[in-house]
Amino acid sequence: MEELEKAQQEKLKAARKDKGLVLVLTGDGKGKSSSAFGMLLRSLGHEMKTGVVQFIKGKWRTGEQLFCEASSDIKYFSMGQGFTWQTQNKEEDIKRVNACWSEALKLLQDENIEFVLLDEINVVLSFDYLKEEEVLNALKARPENQHVVLTGRGASESLINFSDTASVIESPKHAFDNNIRAQKGIEF
Amino acid sequence: MEELEKAQQEKLKAARKDKGLVLVLTGDGKGKSSSAFGMLLRSLGHEMKTGVVQFIKGKWRTGEQLFCEASSDIKYFSMGQGFTWQTQNKEEDIKRVNACWSEALKLLQDENIEFVLLDEINVVLSFDYLKEEEVLNALKARPENQHVVLTGRGASESLINFSDTASVIESPKHAFDNNIRAQKGIEF
């Protein structure tokens, strides 16, 4: 027990590096985007400059969208009508993804932005609507102290390996199973 | 495949209930509190009235604390010096937990508060510093449309069963393993 504690203490001492982190939030459970927006809230608490791109947007006005639009400390971009999810509109989807990616690139090249949230980007990567190599290259070339959070189910093994921190979220129980619809402030 | 889609559609149609949810976020992974603060951000986006009690507080000033203190739409309470985690201060810890709980109770009885975050309460429950029965009773008696989020590792099976939604978060990879210390805006 004592040895374990000692090992933990040494690990704590060794953990002295400051650096911008790449965080991947994936899995089938609830809480990936929520978690990312919680980090955004923390960053705002520290008066950091932040940027958010939402690669997929629901039909309704979400709380995070309303919040981001109202804040002058967040550069916010989401794609107009949202991802269509319909194979017959694949071209349209890819066009929208590219529009989002070009906004994301601006953030990843901006020395003033300390926190970047690329919401649901893992999904469009898993659909191959955006090239992973391009994303990885932009992450490698970004300002040294910039944190980037990538959310969405289906993150690839290579993206997880590239990240500093990856979390996989599973939900053993969900209100939806009991016929309760998505609730304002919780799911959107 | 078609049948599956039909079943999903019917599930969606059935999901029409509006009600305040109890959400439990637990597990050993990163992102429990982050996720809860993300829901807080969403609720603020919808201009909902919110309340936050932090049962455990680190030594440093966290981003979420700074954010909550600065917002007039959040009733915020955290316990002074934080949980000591030392068995020799058990009495002091219990006193602090009780102070937090009495603030939490006020929120759980307030019809105007639509979103309540009880951060790290699962931990103090697992230490038996607070009676689970008391918490469950307060949750049952709360305003009908009030959402409550309970975070922290070690949530009991009975709490998970009582909840509408429970998420268990595991982290297969964490920056700390590579000697990178906790980063502002991300972990705190």
Side-chain angles (χ1 to χ4, degrees), chain A residues 25 30 38 45 50 67 73 110 152 157 177 179:
Chain A
L25 298 169
K30 261 198 59 59
T50 65
F67 184 94
D73 294 319
D110 188 336
E157 220 180 287
D177 297 333
N179 296 341

Side-chain angles (χ1 to χ4, degrees), chain A:
Chain A
M1 201 58 202
E2 209 170 294
E3 261 176 51
L4 262 178
E5 207 179 307
K6 210 172 149 189
Q8 180 67 8
Q9 284 301 324
E10 270 164 26
K11 215 170 144 190
L12 255 174
K13 266 192 209 163
R16 297 226 171 271
K17 273 192 261 177
D18 268 324
K19 91 174 234 241
L21 300 178
V22 172
L23 296 100
V24 172
L25 298 169
T26 193
D28 294 332
K30 261 198 59 59
K32 300 181 288 292
S33 293
S34 306
S35 181
F37 281 100
M39 294 179 208
L40 173 67
L41 179 146
R42 282 196 180 118
S43 300
L44 294 171
H46 289 299
E47 301 184 343
M48 292 158 72
K49 292 285 169 204
T50 65
V52 176
V53 176
Q54 288 198 285
F55 282 79
I56 297 176
K57 195 181 77 69
K59 280 177 203 157
W60 49 52
R61 304 265 295 163
T62 62
E64 64 266 28
Q65 186 186 0
L66 292 165
F67 184 94
C68 289
E69 286 174 355
S71 168
S72 58
D73 294 319
I74 306 170
K75 288 196 180 179
Y76 176 71
F77 184 82
S78 81
M79 63 175 170
Q81 298 306 305
F83 203 67
T84 64
W85 292 108
Q86 290 164 13
T87 39
Q88 63 264 43
N89 286 330
K90 193 175 163 179
E91 261 182 54
E92 183 56 29
D93 275 349
I94 291 178
K95 223 169 78 183
R96 287 175 179 171
V97 167
N98 281 329
C100 284
W101 176 241
S102 88
E103 293 300 317
L105 253 185
K106 285 184 209 162
L107 296 172
L108 294 171
Q109 292 167 347
D110 188 336
E111 295 277 345
N112 294 316
I113 302 286
E114 295 163 272
F115 177 96
V116 177
L117 166 51
L118 305 178
D119 193 39
E120 302 288 9
I121 192 173
N122 298 341
V123 177
V124 301
L125 283 169
S126 76
F127 274 56
D128 212 24
Y129 284 4
L130 179 62
K131 291 282 163 236
E132 186 171 281
E133 201 191 336
E134 202 174 336
V135 175
L136 291 179
N137 285 339
L139 290 173
K140 284 175 198 159
R142 79 190 195 283
E144 203 182 344
N145 286 313
Q146 186 183 75
H147 300 304
V148 184
V149 182
L150 304 98
T151 79
R153 60 182 70 192
S156 71
E157 220 180 287
S158 48
L159 185 60
I160 289 177
N161 283 335
F162 177 79
S163 76
D164 298 291
T165 296
S167 282
V168 178
I169 301 177
E170 309 293 346
S171 291
K173 189 173 181 189
H174 196 292
F176 187 68
D177 297 333
N178 292 320
N179 296 341
I180 298 161
R181 65 179 164 189
Q183 294 297 302
K184 198 164 82 170
I186 302 297
E187 276 100 351
F188 64 93

